[in-house]
Amino acid sequence: MPSFDIVSEYDSHEAHNAVDQANREVTTRFDFKGSGATYELKDDTITMSAGSEFQLQQMLDILQMKLTKRGINISCMEINEPKTTGRTAQQIVELKQGIESLLAKKIVKLVKDKKLKVQAAIQGEKVRVTGNKRDDLQQVIQMLKAENFEMPLQFNNFRD
């Protein structure tokens, strides 16, 4: 019975490379000279430090550009408010992976409302869709690609 998984994930190695590139660019740019602006990646959290909130906004633009070039969808980013303390400002950006339960339920409801002969089941942080025909599964993929979700979705583990 054909099936596939709906997941939301990013390549952490590519995220690490993007942060390294952004750090390199910040150290070479004239407007950041002597400001001590840095990016730091730990697990799924990127901490940006700079001299002012304006520089943090510029750093965020650089980070988004580098992540996009590395093939990471920036809609997986959760950008927190900047915190200013004395002479430094910090901002935390979280990279989200996995489909949350509310979004998973919404996906399952959309698939069931389509009235195709497929079943969708939530399995942890992914949704597995099974059906008798490949064409039905491909219709589900096209329907989900047309929808606008707050998280980027990938379709993998397609089996016949």
Side-chain angles (χ1 to χ4, degrees):
M1 186 176 252
S3 67
F4 71 90
D5 293 335
I6 304 168
V7 295
S8 179
E9 56 191 23
Y10 66 91
D11 188 356
S12 60
H13 185 69
E14 290 295 335
H16 195 280
N17 288 340
V19 169
D20 286 344
Q21 284 181 341
N23 260 328
R24 234 175 287 127
E25 182 171 331
V26 164
T27 57
T28 59
R29 278 184 45 168
F30 178 76
D31 53 340
F32 284 102
K33 288 279 189 217
S35 67
T38 59
Y39 297 92
E40 187 178 329
L41 175 66
K42 283 187 180 173
D43 298 325
D44 292 340
T45 304
I46 301 170
T47 306
M48 300 185 305
S49 301
S52 67
E53 285 189 33
F54 177 72
Q55 287 180 329
L56 283 178
Q57 187 58 43
Q58 289 179 319
M59 289 175 66
L60 184 61
D61 292 341
I62 293 169
L63 179 65
Q64 288 176 338
M65 182 180 64
K66 297 298 180 186
L67 287 171
T68 302
K69 282 186 178 179
R70 287 286 183 175
I72 297 173
N73 193 329
I74 60 172
S75 60
C76 74
M77 293 172 57
E78 184 176 305
I79 303 165
N80 296 329
E81 290 296 316
K83 296 176 186 157
T84 307
T85 55
R87 296 182 182 171
T88 61
Q90 278 194 339
Q91 189 169 15
I92 295 175
V93 176
E94 295 178 30
L95 300 173
K96 298 187 292 184
Q97 285 198 103
I99 298 176
E100 296 172 358
S101 61
L102 291 173
L103 182 60
K105 288 177 184 177
K106 183 177 176 182
I107 291 171
V108 169
K109 184 176 180 341
L110 280 171
V111 169
K112 288 187 178 184
D113 288 348
K114 190 73 173 165
K115 302 277 189 209
L116 294 172
K117 294 183 180 178
V118 296
Q119 293 82 36
I122 301 171
Q123 296 183 338
E125 293 187 339
K126 62 183 178 181
V127 177
R128 173 152 299 160
V129 179
T130 57
N132 289 331
K133 297 180 183 176
R134 288 179 83 166
D135 292 341
D136 292 340
L137 296 179
Q138 289 171 343
Q139 281 184 323
V140 170
I141 291 174
Q142 293 304 316
M143 185 243 336
L144 291 174
K145 282 184 179 179
E147 288 291 323
N148 187 14
F149 295 106
E150 63 266 11
M151 292 282 294
L153 298 178
Q154 293 89 29
F155 309 99
N156 64 13
N157 206 12
F158 198 95
R159 298 177 189 258
D160 255 343

